Every structure is written in C-alpha cells, then in structure tokens.
Amino acid sequence: MRKVDFLVIGSGIAGLSFALKASKKGKVLILTKVNADETNTKYAQGGIATVFDPNTDSFEKHISDTLIAGDGLCDKKIVEIVVTEGPDRINELIEYGANFDKEDSGEYNLTREGGHSEKRILHYKDITGWEIERALLEQVKANPNIEILTHFFAVEIITQHHLGEPKDDHIECFGVYALNVNSGGVETILAKNTLMATGGAGHIYAATTNPVIATGDGIAMVYRAGGKVRDMEMMQFHPTSLHNPGSFPSFLITEAVRGEGGVLRNKSGKEFMYEYDERGSLAPRDIVARSIDAEMKKTGEEFVYLDITHKPKELILEHFPNIYEKCLSLGIDISKNMIPVTPAAHYLCGGIMVDENGRTNISNLFACGECSSTGLHGANRLASNSLLEAAVFGHRISQVAVNELDNVAFNEKVPDWNEFGTVQSNEEILVTHNTRELQRMMSDYVGIVRTDFRLERALTRLNMLKEETEEFYRKTKLSVKLCELRNLILCAQMVIHSAQKRKESRGLHYNTDYPYKLGGEPQNMVISRA
C-alpha cells in the first residue's frame, strides 16, 4: 500500500501543471498507463489561445468568440476566468521552458484558427502540444517531490463503497486501485487529494485523431463511483483528419492550415463552405464537420480536399513541417497537391462535472483537462482553448488542494483489491472483437448526424456488449484492454443517454428528428449513477 499527499492520474498538461505546483506543499505521485509523454497533449498540433497582443486583441473578443462557438451552453463566468487568467498561465509555460514560434523581430508569431476573430494562437511549428509536454516533463522529472509511475492503470476510485459502508449522498475519494501492468498485480494507493486528468474518450469511435490511450478511463471511473457527468453528447469531430484508409489513429491536419488560408474544396475542386456558412472555411468546427459530412453524402465520396497550394512553399514548410513530411510519405506534396481530408472524433466537450476550482461532487477528488466539464466549451470547443483551459484549471485546483491538505487524513480501513475466484484469460480476442464492434457501431449510429432510431439501435446493441463484457470482467484477472473496453462501453452509453435526453440540435449534437434549437435557457445534460 502506498500513501501520498497528491495523486495525479494522467501526465498531460493538466496533470503536470498541477503536480509542479502541488509539489511545493507535499509529495505528488503521477500514474500513467503507458509512457509519461504519451498523452493527448503531445498530439495537440495547432496551439494555445490567449490574448497576447492588447493592441489588436482583447479579453472581450476572446470571450465573445468562445461563447459564440459554445452555442449557448458555455458558463460565461468560467469563460471569463479562463480567458483573463490565461496570459499568466502561458507566461508560466514559457518560464518552464516551452518554446513558441517568433518572428524575426522577436515578437511571437500569432496565428488564427476557425471561430477566432483575431490572431491569438501561440504555436510551435505544428507540434505545439509536443513542445509543451516536453517542457513540463523536464520540470517534473527534476522535481524531487514528484514521482512518476509508468505502466500503472487506474482501475477504480476508492470510496466508502469499498469499505462496505452504507451509501449516502456524501461520497469521499480515498485513492485508487491501480493495475501494475508489468507485474499484473493490483496495488492500493491512498491519497489525501486525487486529480483525474486522464484525457478524453475518442476511441469510442472507429475514426479518431486521439492516441490509443484515450479510452475515457477517468470519466468512467468517476461515474461508477457516483460522480456527476454532463454533456457527453457533445463530441467534437475534427473536420480535417488525413484520409488514409487503414491508418489508426487518424492523422490530424491542424485547423491552423485553414487559419493560414487553406480552403476546403469538393472532388471537382469547387470551394463549397460558403454554401453552408458565411465564414467559409473559417467557420467553427461543428459547422465545418457537418458541412463536409453533407458534401461527402452529396458527392458519394469518402473525403473532400483541403487546398493550401496557393501559399508559398516556404510558409508551408515553416508552419507545417510535420504535416508536410507525413503527407509527402504518402506521395502528397501539399505545396502542389490538395490534401484529402475527412472528419474524425477529436475532442470531448462534456465530461466530469466540476466547479470553478475543479472540484467534483466527490470529496477530495478533482478533475482537469479533457476529462472534465468546466463550462468553458459548452456545445462546441473553440480551437486551441483546450490547452489553455488545462493550464488555468491545473493552477486553480492546486491552490485549493494545497490549502486544504492539512485538513484531510488517510483512511486506514481501505481493504486490498479482491480478485478471489478470477482466472487468467486466454480469450483476449473477445475483448478485441467487442471493442471493434463498439467503435464501428458508434461511428455508424452516433456520429456527426444522429436520429432517434439510430440512437436506440446503438443503445440496444451496446447493452448486450456490456453484459458480455461485465460477465467476462467478473471471471477473469484484470488486463488493460479489458478495463479499457469497460470504460469505452460506459462512456458510449453516456453519450447515447445524453443525446437521447437532448430534444434539439445544438452545437456538436445534431439530430435530424429535432433539427432546431429549443427556446429559453439551454440545458446541460447531467447524468449520475448516484
């Protein structure tokens, strides 16, 4: 049994930002199910948005752009907090050693993405997330108060349920049970404060830009423990992933390509976005993704084209070297050839419901980053706001957790994990098959465009998959793939339940049975097992 002041599940910008600050008060333990740098943060290409030049931009403009993209579901107070505190957090990233591209004059090279009214995106080439992850990890590894355990998979949050105590409205988190992937044993880790920073759930879909680790683990764990989750129907599909059949996960073509003048065209070479929105290729992601989906259905093609051939090759190589090399490896010179693109699941705008300090409804449990629902994104995330949100909330959570640390004690009554009666599995093919079926079904029935019939059909089959999987889970020893499948199924169910509850089309959720928005104050779709 391990004991630690602060436990962090996940090693992206959310978890690392928190860890660096919490380490000034106590010992921090970071768990990550693979290598420390394998996170959603690492794969964030475009950049991080903030008001960096007050001569041309303002907090009011950034707030307005965020609220417009969120289509009525944003919490304005949270938007104001993130936007106004953002510059300080980005300056901290720079102090930690993160590099962002500059002009020859020494000024930061700011770019623009869809939904933004001004150039306010700080970036490092087309691998901004990789650079931020690198800088934070270097700081964390040099910090004697922070320990990272790689290849540890958090299985369940420990609450009163595991102590056999009667269930009531007050739920406490005492730590987690974690599978040591290398040894196969399940370890008990007690913590005074726990931060869930596990990223999103993109792998409930067959086509996603997310790394394979994005299986909704934190969201599922919190829901099973009685935590509140909201707006899970709001899954953002990135409009432009590289169309490369057989590639998994999908390679992301950053929105910054359109920000630098890239234009979407159909198979005939015609620019089509103005038929759907007056902002053309710079419309917000939900509109662009639905427009591409409609255009593909209209033409019968599996992709459309993103054209940046009219821009100087020097600009392309400077801003998008990684994209250039990837496409060139497939025989596509993007300075001469248009890029075939198609929408793919990208970012979950719902998640674990938290307050302005990252608190969940479970005591001593916080959530940050993509697994959380702060109220910033609403019904659709504004491009490059996600890294900003994680940095701001990582800081805010650390302040609260540090101040309250001395008032929290370890619960010494927590029992060890019980795997009595389970056997080693030799049927992993069942897990693989069910995972693929889940992903294909969600893509077909619960994708960019939905109907009540498709949602009901998906839920019926999903319930059967859950029964099969839970039976398998009860009888066999734990494996990462089995645990991930359980979490994927639960997250998929939450997406469907939330989608069924929303009797309108808003932001990322579009149901042809309810094509219009409801009047009055928009409602969040809150669900809980408690």
Side-chain angles (χ1 to χ4, degrees):
M1 181 181 291
R2 298 172 185 260
K3 296 180 183 179
V4 64
D5 295 315
F6 304 101
L7 175 63
V8 180
I9 316 298
S11 57
I13 181 174
L16 298 182
S17 296
F18 168 84
L20 285 169
K21 294 173 179 181
S23 67
K24 297 174 183 177
K25 173 70 174 181
K27 294 291 184 180
V28 182
L29 176 63
I30 300 174
L31 298 187
T32 176
K33 64 180 182 179
V34 284
N35 297 326
D37 69 341
E38 188 65 8
T39 67
N40 276 17
T41 297
K42 176 182 174 181
Y43 294 92
Q45 288 183 348
I48 186 166
T50 197
V51 177
F52 218 81
D53 186 355
N55 295 317
T56 60
D57 201 2
S58 68
F59 288 148
E60 289 74 22
K61 287 181 181 179
H62 192 179
I63 290 167
S64 176
D65 291 344
T66 302
L67 293 173
I68 290 169
D71 203 12
L73 272 191
C74 298
D75 183 327
K76 188 176 180 182
K77 179 183 178 182
I78 297 299
V79 174
E80 291 171 348
I81 286 172
V82 173
V83 169
T84 56
E85 294 182 9
D88 288 341
R89 303 289 76 80
I90 289 181
N91 282 324
E92 284 180 343
L93 292 175
I94 294 170
E95 291 172 7
Y96 287 144
N99 297 301
F100 298 107
D101 289 346
K102 293 182 178 180
E103 305 283 3
D104 292 339
S105 64
E107 298 293 316
Y108 282 104
N109 176 261
L110 302 176
T111 190
R112 182 182 173 193
E113 297 182 356
H116 288 274
S117 58
E118 300 291 346
K119 288 189 173 184
R120 64 170 69 99
I121 314 296
L122 282 160
H123 58 92
Y124 178 75
K125 310 300 179 186
D126 54 356
I127 51 171
T128 308
W130 178 92
E131 172 61 15
I132 291 173
E133 182 76 12
R134 178 204 62 78
L136 289 174
L137 268 179
E138 283 189 8
Q139 294 289 327
V140 164
K141 289 178 178 178
N143 191 311
N145 269 357
I146 303 175
E147 180 183 6
I148 302 178
L149 290 180
T150 62
H151 302 282
F152 269 73
F153 185 94
V155 179
E156 295 290 0
I157 297 167
I158 303 171
T159 67
Q160 297 99 311
H161 164 74
H162 298 94
L163 277 62
E165 296 179 0
K167 187 176 182 180
D168 57 29
D169 292 336
H170 179 68
I171 309 170
E172 292 183 69
C173 173
F174 306 127
V176 301
Y177 291 116
L179 173 64
N180 183 329
V181 179
N182 293 325
S183 73
V186 177
E187 299 192 18
T188 304
I189 302 175
L190 300 185
K192 294 182 177 180
N193 285 292
T194 299
L195 173 66
M196 199 61 69
T198 52
H203 280 271
I204 62 175
Y205 291 97
T208 177
T209 62
N210 291 188
V212 295
I213 58 170
T215 52
D217 304 321
I219 300 169
M221 276 188 281
V222 172
Y223 181 82
R224 280 195 294 265
K228 292 182 179 179
V229 175
R230 70 178 172 189
D231 299 337
M232 288 291 287
E233 77 278 20
M234 299 300 177
M235 171 63 79
Q236 187 178 70
F237 285 78
H238 198 288
T240 54
S241 75
L242 180 64
H243 178 71
N244 182 25
S247 174
F248 190 78
S250 301
F251 183 81
L252 176 65
I253 305 296
T254 174
E255 191 149 352
V257 174
R258 286 183 286 127
E260 289 294 332
V263 174
L264 288 162
R265 303 185 186 277
N266 61 21
K267 67 174 185 178
S268 302
K270 178 185 176 183
E271 183 177 357
F272 62 85
M273 272 304 303
Y274 285 106
E275 297 177 17
Y276 299 94
D277 192 278
E278 63 183 9
R279 290 163 289 190
S281 295
L282 282 175
R285 290 179 176 180
D286 60 325
I287 294 172
V288 178
R290 279 199 302 275
S291 302
I292 292 174
D293 183 71
E295 197 69 19
M296 291 191 303
K297 285 181 169 63
K298 187 189 301 182
T299 62
E301 297 292 318
E302 294 183 347
F303 57 88
V304 296
Y305 290 105
L306 180 57
D307 181 12
I308 198 169
T309 59
H310 51 285
K311 291 293 182 177
K313 185 172 183 178
E314 293 75 21
L315 180 147
I316 294 170
L317 291 175
E318 179 183 357
H319 285 265
F320 312 114
N322 192 42
I323 294 173
Y324 181 85
E325 289 299 326
K326 175 65 177 181
C327 290
L328 196 62
S329 72
L330 300 173
I332 304 167
D333 183 342
I334 66 173
S335 68
K336 301 175 182 177
N337 312 121
M338 295 189 293
I339 310 167
V341 294
T342 186
H346 183 57
Y347 192 93
L348 179 63
C349 290
I352 303 162
M353 188 173 172
V354 298
D355 67 8
E356 64 189 54
N357 293 311
R359 295 181 190 272
T360 70
N361 65 299
I362 299 176
S363 294
N364 308 322
L365 177 67
F366 300 85
C368 188
E370 189 175 352
C371 71
S372 69
S373 173
T374 63
L376 173 67
H377 304 307
N380 183 25
R381 177 180 70 107
L382 182 66
S384 290
N385 266 359
S386 55
L387 294 174
L388 181 72
E389 176 192 41
V392 168
F393 270 84
H395 174 78
R396 294 179 73 85
I397 294 168
S398 70
Q399 291 183 308
V400 173
V402 163
N403 288 338
E404 297 180 355
L405 183 66
D406 294 336
N407 299 324
V408 184
F410 294 113
N411 190 312
E412 304 288 352
K413 298 186 292 183
V414 171
D416 289 333
W417 179 262
N418 182 6
E419 59 178 8
F420 178 78
T422 60
V423 297
Q424 196 69 40
S425 168
N426 60 356
E427 295 289 352
E428 284 295 311
I429 187 61
L430 298 177
V431 175
T432 303
H433 174 83
N434 282 1
T435 301
R436 289 173 180 166
E437 182 174 349
L438 161 73
Q439 292 167 336
R440 186 71 268 160
M441 180 179 59
M442 289 295 291
S443 294
D444 289 343
Y445 297 147
V446 198
I448 296 172
V449 177
R450 299 158 181 175
T451 67
D452 282 352
F453 176 77
R454 292 178 196 168
L455 292 173
E456 188 59 40
R457 184 166 184 173
L459 186 59
T460 299
R461 181 57 192 139
L462 197 57
N463 289 338
M464 295 174 64
L465 284 178
K466 183 175 183 178
E467 288 181 16
E468 293 174 8
T469 302
E470 289 299 318
E471 180 68 17
F472 195 55
Y473 176 80
R474 285 190 291 269
K475 293 179 178 179
T476 63
K477 292 187 181 296
L478 294 186
S479 71
V480 171
K481 292 300 181 185
L482 176 57
C483 291
E484 286 180 332
L485 174 58
R486 291 184 77 224
N487 295 335
L488 287 168
I489 289 173
L490 187 50
C491 286
Q493 285 181 315
M494 287 188 266
V495 169
I496 295 172
H497 285 310
S498 296
Q500 289 177 320
K501 288 176 68 176
R502 187 171 293 283
K503 305 299 184 183
E504 64 170 349
S505 289
R506 182 180 296 276
L508 300 167
H509 173 71
Y510 188 80
N511 187 329
T512 58
D513 292 314
Y514 311 97
Y516 305 108
K517 297 175 191 174
L518 290 173
E521 188 71 20
Q523 299 297 309
N524 295 105
M525 294 301 141
V526 180
I527 55 178
S528 173
R529 187 179 179 181

